[in-house]
Amino acid sequence: MNWEKLLFRTLYLLSAKKCELFKRRYKTAQFQNNKIILIRDGKETVLPPYTYIKGLHFEFNGNNNTVCIEYPSHFHHSKISFNGDNNQINFGKNAKGVFSFILYYGNNIHLGNNVQSEGLYATLYGDSLIIGNNCLFSSSIKVWSDGHAIIDAATRKLLNPSGYTIQIGDHVWIGQDVVLLKRTNIPSNCIVAHSSVVTKAFDEENCIYAGNPAKAVKRGINWNKSSPVAYNPETVNPLF
């Protein structure tokens, strides 16, 4: 490639980036009171909604939406879409990996410290997702709340109201392809096995939950991020 072609390509790419930034600013300007807050050493820095954060893309299609991110955090191929109003997302310190959240109206997502994910996807309609500290998520994990109304055929009464919380305790390991439905609870120091579907709230810690629907299949366990080959109980912190 000669220098003329290189110069032309460079100018083209710069123009494309400017156009993309302009479109993001124009789109976000149609909505009000959306913001991104970065927290470092307790100090908050408020950024405009069209701000680019490496590995994390935002879409604001509503009003009064806030994302808080504690430093340091590292994102890869992550995306947050606000398709309604009054949503709040909080990332604790050392969030790392792939996160994809689609929020409609009045949702709250809170992640504790040291949450790592290979692919956590949540779509919420008026519900909350609360995740504790030191949790590990594998890939293709889906968290759902109901997107359509279920009504009584005779009385027309709504049977699936929103406003519930999906709760995940501290130090929980969620395996690949797990599905978590609304009103579910995973206690601390638990494992949810590959491809399980969690449909209810559990209250017993130190368990492996597995199956469709999930149930306790083993009790009195804990887990560690190290592989079975590398694990040494004398040198490895059992909680990590």
Side-chain angles (χ1 to χ4, degrees):
M1 181 181 292
N2 59 36
W3 69 269
E4 292 96 343
K5 290 183 178 180
L6 180 60
L7 178 61
F8 177 80
R9 181 172 177 79
T10 301
L11 292 174
Y12 174 81
L13 292 175
L14 288 174
S15 299
K17 287 183 179 180
K18 286 183 178 180
C19 288
E20 179 63 25
L21 180 60
F22 176 79
K23 287 191 295 183
R24 290 168 62 186
R25 287 186 175 183
Y26 175 78
K27 187 174 182 179
T28 56
Q30 301 176 68
F31 304 101
Q32 302 297 318
N33 198 32
N34 294 309
K35 54 189 175 182
I36 302 166
I37 301 174
L38 297 183
I39 304 172
R40 179 185 290 196
D41 299 326
K43 183 179 179 180
E44 295 186 357
T45 302
V46 180
L47 304 174
Y50 53 80
T51 300
Y52 174 77
I53 294 177
K54 185 177 181 181
L56 179 57
H57 177 70
F58 300 96
E59 285 188 355
F60 288 89
N61 299 305
N63 304 298
N64 304 314
N65 299 296
T66 303
V67 181
C68 295
I69 302 172
E70 288 199 50
Y71 182 87
S73 292
H74 304 279
F75 301 96
H76 307 282
H77 306 292
S78 297
K79 183 176 181 179
I80 295 174
S81 298
F82 294 105
N83 294 327
D85 304 334
N86 304 313
N87 297 289
Q88 173 87 27
I89 298 178
N90 295 281
F91 288 94
K93 293 180 180 179
N94 298 312
K96 182 178 180 181
V98 181
F99 303 89
S100 180
F101 300 145
I102 302 175
L103 305 184
Y104 287 86
Y105 295 93
N107 302 281
N108 175 45
I109 294 180
H110 177 85
L111 286 77
N113 298 326
N114 307 310
V115 174
Q116 296 187 20
S117 165
E118 292 295 325
L120 173 61
Y121 303 88
T123 302
L124 299 180
Y125 300 82
D127 296 302
S128 298
L129 171 62
I130 310 297
I131 299 173
N133 300 317
N134 306 313
C135 290
L136 181 64
F137 294 85
S138 186
S139 59
S140 300
I141 296 165
K142 297 178 177 62
V143 180
W144 295 97
S145 63
D146 294 341
H148 305 285
I150 301 174
I151 59 175
D152 185 281
T155 65
R156 300 182 63 83
K157 179 181 179 181
L158 181 67
L159 300 178
N160 61 334
S162 59
Y164 292 94
T165 298
I166 299 166
Q167 183 90 32
I168 299 174
D170 295 329
H171 193 241
V172 172
W173 171 18
I174 307 290
Q176 185 176 357
D177 291 319
V178 165
V179 176
L180 299 170
L181 303 180
K182 72 176 188 179
R183 306 191 201 187
T184 57
N185 177 67
I186 307 297
S188 298
N189 301 312
C190 287
I191 300 169
V192 182
H194 189 298
S195 300
S196 297
V197 178
V198 183
T199 61
K200 67 177 184 179
F202 295 101
D203 57 11
E204 188 175 356
E205 297 185 0
N206 299 100
C207 285
I208 297 176
Y209 295 101
N212 181 8
K215 62 181 180 181
V217 297
K218 192 172 182 62
R219 294 175 168 82
I221 61 92
N222 211 325
W223 64 275
N224 185 272
K225 286 183 181 178
S226 62
S227 71
V229 174
Y231 178 71
N232 184 337
E234 297 180 358
T235 60
V236 176
N237 186 333
L239 295 182
F240 296 97

